[in-house]
Amino acid sequence: MQWRLIAKCYRVQVALKYAVLAALLNGEASGYDLAKRFDVSMANFWSATPQQLYRELERLTADALIEARLVQQERRPNKRMFTLTEAGRQDLAAYTARPPRPTAVRDDLLVKVQALDEGDPEAARTLIEERMQWARGKHERYQRLRDGLLDGRSEEAYLREADRVGPYLTLLRGLSFEEENLRWCERVLTVLSQRTATAAHRS
């Protein structure tokens, strides 16, 4: 079990490394800027705390995959701005050519739904409604980001003319993921309502 945990932690760290390198494709950024990029444009497929990002930036700088320059500020603390090095670009390009590990769903809510027949259906309903609210909020957020990227253009025009399409394509995946979450939640709520009505009729 211990070696599996170590392997899992290693994979997470490796993935974060390349997520940071990919985020820097958008240009020079401070640690604070990167945290915002993760929160806004990458949260639909990868999450990281600011502390994790700062640690990763230190490692990447030590490995010469990114470089930092110090920016002097008069009324604020000095900050470091990070950019990709050529070695970082080559490492990222090599990473994109390697096949990814298959994904698997690991969701605490699904464990609860699996066992809902032994619990309180109303408690399960509350959990599903909370997930729906969460998914709806994320979907609306991603939709606003999509509208900002398109900036009045059609999707076809954007995909044809934009300098980079990767961020848009990952955003589409985030949108479809939350749409599926909403469809599944609606289905579960329908089933619970039907079973409640049937039980009431029998009694």
Side-chain angles (χ1 to χ4, degrees), residues 23 26 31-50 53 137-149 166-168 170-175 178:
N26 288 330
Y32 176 76
D33 295 332
L34 277 174
K36 288 174 59 179
R37 287 182 191 177
F38 266 75
D39 187 50
V40 173
S41 64
M42 301 181 75
N44 61 308
F45 64 92
W46 197 264
S47 61
T49 66
L53 289 174
K138 290 180 70 175
H139 187 272
E140 291 172 355
R141 181 179 178 186
Y142 295 158
Q143 188 61 56
R144 289 193 297 271
L145 181 58
R146 178 178 181 268
D147 292 342
L149 288 173
Y168 187 83
T170 56
L171 179 61
L172 290 182
R173 181 68 184 94
L175 282 165
E178 298 306 338

Side-chain angles (χ1 to χ4, degrees), residues 108-128 184-185 187-193 195-196:
D108 184 51
L109 177 60
L110 293 184
V111 178
K112 297 177 186 296
V113 172
Q114 177 80 2
L116 69 80
D117 299 292
E118 301 300 320
D120 179 4
E122 287 306 310
R125 181 186 300 278
T126 298
L127 293 175
I128 297 298
W184 177 79
C185 287
R187 176 62 173 154
V188 172
L189 290 177
T190 298
V191 170
L192 292 177
S193 295
R195 290 177 64 85
T196 299

Side-chain angles (χ1 to χ4, degrees), residues 143-160:
Q143 188 61 56
R144 289 193 297 271
L145 181 58
R146 178 178 181 268
D147 292 342
L149 288 173
L150 293 178
D151 194 25
R153 290 172 288 184
S154 67
E155 183 174 89
E156 292 76 14
Y158 178 87
L159 294 175
R160 184 174 59 250

